[in-house]
Amino acid sequence: IRTVLRHITRGQLLDITRFGNGPAVHALANAEALDEYTWLVAGCVGEFWTDLCMRHLPGFASLPADRMRALGRAYGSGLQLINILRDMGADLAAGRCYLPADALAAAGLAAADLAAADLARDPARLAPVYNHWLAQAGARLDQGMAYCMAVNHRRVRAASALPALIGARTLALLRQAGPG
């Protein structure tokens, strides 16, 4: 919580309203907006968990605190990216698209196209954007496993690794299903 408040009080949180109102589908503007969102929702949790454990568990990790915080941030953000990709259909139906508008535009798409029935007939149009963010989620999940391997306490390591194992299985299913 302190980390999020620091982020807000430094004036870095420009707009907490990410999506407009109404029936139109709205996307995040760019990768930076998506990274900020995943940090606010889950990356800061990885940092908080690390700070808490470093403070209260002597010998918590074999890596320095700042490296563990960075890995924890990436881990939380990666888990959130997995959630975004998994829930994309429901989010689109609710008017939200977390995939960056600029990346969609580079693929010749707009957020509204993702909700359209014609995309279901031709999911290959979305594949470059979808696969990029799947790879990003996988890379961040790998950092999460590095985090878990650096944790010295057996029970804390198991608790930290369980979301990564679930995330890895979810990523495999998302890769198998594809963007359609």
Side-chain angles (χ1 to χ4, degrees):
I1 294 174
R2 189 174 339 155
T3 305
V4 173
L5 290 175
R6 251 192 329 245
H7 188 72
I8 292 169
T9 57
R10 286 190 305 223
Q12 293 177 350
L13 185 57
L14 302 176
D15 182 12
I16 59 170
T17 307
R18 306 251 179 233
F19 304 101
N21 294 322
V25 178
H26 299 276
L28 294 176
N30 51 40
E32 292 78 23
L34 178 54
D35 284 340
E36 178 188 38
Y37 173 78
T38 61
W39 180 82
L40 286 169
V41 173
C44 66
V45 175
E47 291 178 353
F48 174 77
W49 173 259
T50 302
D51 290 344
L52 186 71
C53 290
M54 286 285 189
R55 184 174 196 166
H56 296 288
L57 294 173
F60 167 65
S62 60
L63 295 173
D66 45 332
R67 179 69 181 135
M68 288 298 288
R69 287 181 99 248
L71 290 171
R73 179 184 324 114
Y75 187 16
S77 294
L79 291 171
Q80 187 59 33
L81 275 175
I82 293 168
N83 289 343
I84 286 168
L85 294 166
R86 183 196 65 210
D87 298 339
M88 193 165 54
D91 288 331
L92 289 168
R96 298 182 305 267
C97 177
Y98 293 94
L99 298 177
D102 62 350
L104 292 172
L109 295 167
D113 297 330
L114 301 184
D118 66 317
L119 185 63
R121 288 190 296 273
D122 187 14
R125 292 173 55 203
L126 179 59
V129 178
Y130 183 82
N131 290 335
H132 169 78
W133 289 104
L134 268 179
Q136 288 292 314
R140 293 175 191 187
L141 200 59
D142 288 345
Q143 291 182 54
M145 285 307 297
Y147 180 96
C148 298
M149 296 307 297
V151 172
N152 290 325
H153 298 269
R154 196 174 89 228
R155 288 183 180 174
V156 178
R157 182 184 309 133
S160 298
L162 186 58
L165 297 172
I166 295 167
R169 178 66 180 141
T170 303
L171 272 178
L173 292 171
L174 289 169
R175 280 188 195 99
Q176 183 180 23

